[in-house]
């Protein structure tokens, strides 16, 4: 009998679904005695010693799968979503805003500049006469205005819902700002809160966290223990949301243009990203 080259067991890669998200499961051979498993982005990798018998290998594999499923049930979905959330203005590009998918439809025509959202599309039109070096900035502005207008009511309702269910503070409205240094702010005088427009590209749980953070500042204009306790009423897992922002915030909503012209253009990416919201 020939000495087997691979392990005596082999498990084909498979896909499993947890909370509507798909994960690949890979089972690989290990040369040591121990077995292990890891979850990295959307792959569960199980390592099993090659010399084990198939029965034993299958038993270990199913134990690790159980472990991974339990772990994934608890993890915030925000941690598992793709980290690159740059808008790329190529025709047909899909962007995700507040969990809604939109297709970018880009037109360079003789008409005037406009941006509009409707029918599942973000339509952007720039005049052919616009100098090339101005296109990225113009597109960013058109997109920002169209997105802010289209999502304002939904974000306002979300803020009202958070406030009515948890805080009951005096609150008069919400606006979007395109800021480099802040995720949000609030005015105790006017009782309005402002949210960085780029948060619309974040996972909904992260947007919800920043809205709640600013609303909580209407009551507690500081980051005291009492502020965090108050905020926890609406967002018990605020630490997870903050960690996501710190890690991924810098890529949110920045604009990459690659098919607008023959050349390639990129708006400078703010590597550091804004700080967590603060109150004025
Ligand atoms: Zn704050």
């Amino acid at each position: 009998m020939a000495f087997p080259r691979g392990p005596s067991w082999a498990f084909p890669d498979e896909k499993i679904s947890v909370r509507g998200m798909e994960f690949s499961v890979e089972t690989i051979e290990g040369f040591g005695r121990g077995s292990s498993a890891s979850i990295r982005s959307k792959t569960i990798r199980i390592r099993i010693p090659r010399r084990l018998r198939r029965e034993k290998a299958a038993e270990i594999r199913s134990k690790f799968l159980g472990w991974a499923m339990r772990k994934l049930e608890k993890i915030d979905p925000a941690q598992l979503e793709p980290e690159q959330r740059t808008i790329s203005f190529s025709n047909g590009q899909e962007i995700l805003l507040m969990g809604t998918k939109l297709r970018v439809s880009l037109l360079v025509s003789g008409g005037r500049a406009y941006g509009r959202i409707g029918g599942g599309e973000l339509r952007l039109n720039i005049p052919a006469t616009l100098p090339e070096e101005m296109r990225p900035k113009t597109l960013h502005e058109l997109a920002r205005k169209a997105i802010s207008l289209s999502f304002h009511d939904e974000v306002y309702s979300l803020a009202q819902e958070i406030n009515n269910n948890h805080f009951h503070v005096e609150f008069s409205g919400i606006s979007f700002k395109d800021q480099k240094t802040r995720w949000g702010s609030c005015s105790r005088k006017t009782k309005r809160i402002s949210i960085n427009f780029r948060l619309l590209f974040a996972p909904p749980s992260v947007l919800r966290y920043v809205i709640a953070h600013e609303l909580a500042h209407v009551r507690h204009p500081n980051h005291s223990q009492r502020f965090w306790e108050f905020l926890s009423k609406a967002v018990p897992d605020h630490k997870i949301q903050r960690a996501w922002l710190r890690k991924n915030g810098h890529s949110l909503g920045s604009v990459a243009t690659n098919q607008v012209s023959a050349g390639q253009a990129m708006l400078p990416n703010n590597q550091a990203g804004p700080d967590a919201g603060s109150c004025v």
Side-chain angles (χ1 to χ4, degrees), residues 96-127:
L96 205 58
L97 288 163
M98 287 187 84
T100 301
K101 234 184 226 173
L102 287 177
R103 255 168 59 93
V104 175
S105 157
L106 178 68
L107 209 68
V108 181
S109 78
R112 65 187 177 85
Y114 71 80
R116 190 179 299 150
I117 288 177
E121 279 193 341
L122 167 61
R123 293 178 68 89
L124 299 164
N125 183 71
I126 49 171

Side-chain angles (χ1 to χ4, degrees), residues 119-137:
E121 279 193 341
L122 167 61
R123 293 178 68 89
L124 299 164
N125 183 71
I126 49 171
T129 50
L130 189 73
E132 221 154 89
E133 66 274 16
M134 289 182 63
R135 288 183 179 182
K137 196 166 188 259

Side-chain angles (χ1 to χ4, degrees), residues 136-137 140 180 198 250 253-256 265-271:
K137 196 166 188 259
H140 179 85
K180 283 261 182 330
R198 299 200 271 149
H250 63 84
S254 32
V255 179
M266 283 275 224
L267 277 192
N269 201 350
N270 181 3
Q271 284 304 324

Side-chain angles (χ1 to χ4, degrees), residues 162-163 166-167 208 212 229-237:
I162 296 169
N163 190 39
H166 305 283
F167 296 148
R208 193 176 179 282
E229 279 165 15
F230 189 63
L231 174 60
S232 291
K233 296 205 284 183
V235 191
D237 65 351

